[in-house]
C-alpha cells in the first residue's frame, strides 16, 4: 500500500463529488473523474467552483465515461453518486480493484455501504457524510454555499484504521474541517435526522429551508418527523443526543435560505434519493416494529409526485 | 311558509352550485345566482352544462354580484361556496332572511353549519353532501362527469322536518338520486373519509385518482389516512361502517380517472379547502386526544405548497 494518497478517482461528478474532488486536486493530488452527463463539459473545460471560501478551477488528471477507461490504479476511489434505483456500483468498482485501493463513500442515507462491503470484502471501505451546501449550477460548474465538513469513518469500526488515517490526512490538507468518526453508521443516523425531514418537505412544499421554518405548522412537522427518526435510531441501537432535533432546527434557522439537494434534483427532473433517505429507514422500522407514519406518507407522496413528473 | 319551493337563490356559482342550480332551473323553478368571478359570463350567457346525462343550458332568473341586489324573497337559499378562509357567510345571508326562507348548505368538510345556525337560529337550516364529479371548465361552463346524488338532512335532527320535506321534493323532481339523512353530521364524516384521503394526495402528488391507486405505496397511505378519520369519527360519536374505507377504495377503482376538486382548485390557483377537509378534523382530534399524524402532515404540506404558490 502507498503510504500517502496520490491518485484519486471520483465516481460521480455532481455537486458533492465535483466539490471534494476539486479540493483534493487543488492541493496537488492527481484527481480523475468518471462522469456521464457532465463528461463533455468537464473533459473540455475542467471544473469551476464558485465558493464562499474563494472561487477556483481545476483540470482533472483524466476524465472518463466508464471506470474501465481509467488508466492506472487509483489509491482512492471516491464514490459520490446519487443513491437512486438502478445505480449498481459493484460492476463499476470491479475493474479498479487492486491491493492498494481504498474506497470512500460520500453519500446520503442509511445502509449504503453493505452491498460494496459484501462484494469487495478485502478492500478497505470508508464511509463519509458531507455537511455541505453545494449545487451543480451547470455541467462542470459547482456553487459552494455552506460549510464543507466531512465526517469519515471505517465501515466496520477499527477494521481499516491505516486506510482511514491516510484518507483523513489527505482531506485535512484541503483545509476543510474533517472529523474521524468512530461510528459512521451512527453518524449517518445523525445526518438522516435533517435529511428525512427537510428534503421531503422541500420537494412536496416546493420551499427552501427558510420558508419551511416560517410556517409554524411545518416546523411542528419537522419536529415530528425527526421524532420518528430518533425513535428509529434508538431501536436500531444508535440512540442519538435527545437535543439533536432542536439543535438541527436552531441551526437551520441560522442558515441562509437553502434549497435541499432533493429539491434541486426535483427541479432538474433528476431521480430523487427517496430510497436512501426514506425507503431504507422505513424497511428498518418495519423490521423492528417501530411506527413511522410520517416517513411512510412522505415516501408515498414523493413516489407519486416523481411518477407524475415522469408520466 | 310556501307549501312548495318556487324561488331559489344560489350563492356560489362554481361547479357544485352551478350544477344543482341549473338542474332546479331545468324543472321550472325560478333560480337566481349570486356570483363574483363568474358574474359577467353567467349574466350574459347563462349556464352551460356538459353532462354524461345529457347537455343542457339555462338562463337564470336573476344574476347578481351581492345578495343585497337580489329582488324578492327566496324560498330557498342554496349555499355552495367553497369553504375557504375569509369567506364569511353571515353578512351575505342577513339581507335575505324572511319568515319563508330555508337555507341549504352544499359544502365539503366538517362543522360547516354551526356559524350559520348560531347567527340565524330561527331559519330552517338544512345541510347536504354532494356525491358528484363536476368541474368548472370556464366561467358559466360546467362539466358533469360523475354521479350527482345528494344526501340532505336537517341540521339538528328532526328540527326542520317540513322544510326538509319541501326541499327533498324539489330536488327529487330533478331526477337526481336524492336521499334524506337522519344524521347529516355523520354523513359528513362518511364523505370526509374520501375527501381527507384523496384530495390532499391528489394535490401533493399532482395525480388523478387512478394514478394514486396505481402506485401500491399510495393506496396503502389512502387506507392509513382513512383509518385516522374512522378512529376520529368514532371518538366524535359518529362510528362509521368498518368496511367503508375498503368500499371507498373499491368504488374509486371503478371510477374513471378523476381530478379531485382540490387539485382542480390548485391548478387554477384558487384557495384550497384545507381547513374544512383537514383543519377542522385535526382540531376535533386535538380536543378528543386522538392521534392523526397523517392528517397533520398533509395539512402542513398543503399550507406550505399553497404559501409557495402565492409567494
Amino acid at each position: 500500500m502507498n503510504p500517502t494518497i496520490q491518485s484519486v478517482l471520483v465516481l460521480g461528478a455532481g455537486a458533492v463529488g465535483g466539490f471534494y474532488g476539486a479540493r483534493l486536486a487543488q492541493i496537488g493530488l492527481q484527481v480523475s473523474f468518471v462522469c456521464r452527463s457532465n463528461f463533455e463539459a468537464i473533459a473540455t473545460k475542467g471544473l469551476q467552483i464558485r465558493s464562499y471560501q474563494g472561487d477556483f478551477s481545476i483540470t482533472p488528471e483524466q476524465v472518463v465515461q466508464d471506470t474501465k477507461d481509467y488508466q492506472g490504479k487509483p489509491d482512492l476511489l471516491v464514490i459520490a453518486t446519487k443513491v437512486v434505483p438502478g445505480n449498481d456500483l459493484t460492476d463499476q468498482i470491479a475493474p479498479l480493484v487492486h491491493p492498494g485501493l481504498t474506497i470512500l463513500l460520500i453519500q446520503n442515507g442509511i445502509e449504503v455501504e453493505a452491498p460494496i462491503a459484501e462484494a469487495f470484502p478485502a478492500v478497505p471501505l470508508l464511509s463519509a457524510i458531507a455537511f455541505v451546501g453545494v449545487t451543480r449550477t451547470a455541467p462542470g460548474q459547482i456553487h459552494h454555499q455552506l460549510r464543507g465538513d466531512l465526517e469519515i469513518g471505517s465501515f466496520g469500526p477499527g477494521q481499516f484504521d491505516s486506510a482511514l488515517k491516510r484518507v483523513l490526512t489527505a482531506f485535512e490538507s484541503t483545509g476543510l474541517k474533517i472529523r474521524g468518526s468512530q461510528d459512521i453508521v451512527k453518524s449517518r443516523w445523525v445526518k438522516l435526522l435533517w435529511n428525512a425531514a427537510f428534503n421531503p418537505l422541500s420537494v412536496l412544499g416546493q420551499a427552501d429551508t427558510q420558508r419551511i421554518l416560517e410556517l409554524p405548522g411545518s416546523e411542528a412537522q419537522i419536529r415530528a418527523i425527526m421524532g420518528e427518526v430518533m425513535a428509529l435510531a434508538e431501536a436500531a441501537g444508535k440512540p442519538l443526543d435527545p437535543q439533536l432535533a432542536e439543535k438541527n432546527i436552531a441551526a437551520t434557522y441560522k442558515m441562509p435560505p437553502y434549497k435541499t439537494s432533493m429539491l434541486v434534483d426535483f427541479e432538474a427532473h433528476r431521480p430523487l434519493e427517496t430510497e436512501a433517505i426514506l425507503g431504507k429507514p422505513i424497511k428498518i422500522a418495519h423490521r423492528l416494529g417501530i411506527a413511522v407514519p410520517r416517513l411512510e406518507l412522505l415516501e408515498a407522496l414523493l413516489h407519486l409526485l416523481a411518477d407524475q413528473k415522469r408520466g
Side-chain angles (χ1 to χ4, degrees), chain A:
Chain A
M1 290 200 196
N2 298 317
T4 57
I5 305 280
Q6 301 286 342
S7 58
V8 179
L9 178 61
V10 179
L11 185 54
V16 169
F19 172 71
Y20 287 105
R23 292 295 291 246
L24 292 175
Q26 206 185 12
I27 56 161
L29 272 63
Q30 296 149 20
V31 180
S32 302
F33 290 89
V34 185
C35 10
R36 267 175 271 182
S37 59
N38 288 335
F39 175 78
E40 206 58 42
I42 297 178
T44 54
K45 290 180 290 182
L47 279 163
Q48 289 79 48
I49 317 292
R50 182 157 62 93
S51 170
Y52 77 98
Q53 296 175 321
D55 301 351
F56 68 102
S57 303
I58 63 119
T59 304
E61 193 77 8
Q62 300 174 43
V63 183
V64 295
Q65 287 183 288
D66 195 290
T67 51
K68 289 194 294 286
D69 303 328
Y70 177 74
Q71 306 292 317
K73 296 178 173 180
D75 299 329
L76 177 65
L77 172 65
V78 174
I79 298 178
T81 52
K82 290 271 169 189
V83 185
V84 296
N87 209 346
D88 184 20
L89 291 169
T90 54
D91 285 352
Q92 297 174 69
I93 295 169
L96 301 169
V97 172
H98 68 98
L101 180 70
T102 292
I103 296 177
L104 171 67
L105 278 180
I106 310 180
Q107 291 186 307
N108 276 325
I110 287 287
E111 292 190 345
V112 291
E113 303 92 345
I116 295 172
E118 281 162 26
F120 310 103
V123 179
L125 177 58
L126 310 179
S127 182
I129 303 161
F131 297 86
V132 64
V134 279
T135 311
R136 191 182 69 160
T137 51
Q141 295 184 24
I142 292 163
H143 183 201
H144 174 217
Q145 289 173 272
L146 272 174
R147 299 178 66 174
D149 33 326
L150 273 185
E151 197 167 323
I152 311 178
S154 172
F155 184 67
Q159 216 185 330
F160 304 115
D161 277 353
S162 62
L164 176 59
K165 204 173 159 199
R166 279 198 306 281
V167 169
L168 286 172
T169 303
F171 275 95
E172 277 159 2
S173 307
T174 63
L176 292 168
K177 206 170 129 193
I178 307 297
R179 287 190 299 279
S181 170
Q182 290 306 308
D183 188 348
I184 195 68
V185 173
K186 178 168 178 168
S187 304
R188 291 201 166 274
W189 282 104
V190 170
K191 180 150 191 214
L192 185 71
L193 197 66
W194 195 94
N195 273 336
F198 280 97
N199 274 292
L201 256 70
S202 69
V203 171
L204 294 165
Q206 290 169 31
D208 63 33
T209 50
Q210 189 170 305
R211 265 186 186 276
I212 291 171
L213 290 172
E214 269 167 7
L215 281 185
S218 50
E219 183 184 329
Q221 287 307 310
I222 290 286
R223 197 167 274 119
I225 295 161
M226 287 183 174
E228 291 186 3
V229 177
M230 298 281 287
L232 186 53
E234 183 162 4
K238 304 291 178 188
L240 308 182
D241 169 7
Q243 297 305 311
L244 196 59
E246 292 309 319
K247 284 178 187 169
N248 261 330
I249 291 169
T252 309
Y253 267 110
K254 287 185 195 136
M255 281 163 41
Y258 178 64
K259 276 192 181 184
T260 69
S261 61
M262 196 181 255
L263 179 55
V264 172
D265 285 340
F266 180 74
E267 290 181 344
H269 298 256
R270 291 194 291 260
L272 306 182
E273 293 191 305
T274 309
E275 178 61 17
I277 289 174
L278 295 170
K280 285 187 176 171
I282 289 169
K283 285 185 188 83
I284 296 171
H286 291 175
R287 214 157 65 211
L288 299 174
I290 302 293
V292 287
R294 293 173 187 85
L295 299 186
E296 289 169 350
L297 179 53
L298 292 171
E299 183 195 35
L301 290 169
L302 287 177
H303 283 321
L304 193 57
L305 189 59
D307 180 67
Q308 175 63 13
K309 197 113 178 180
R310 275 195 300 277

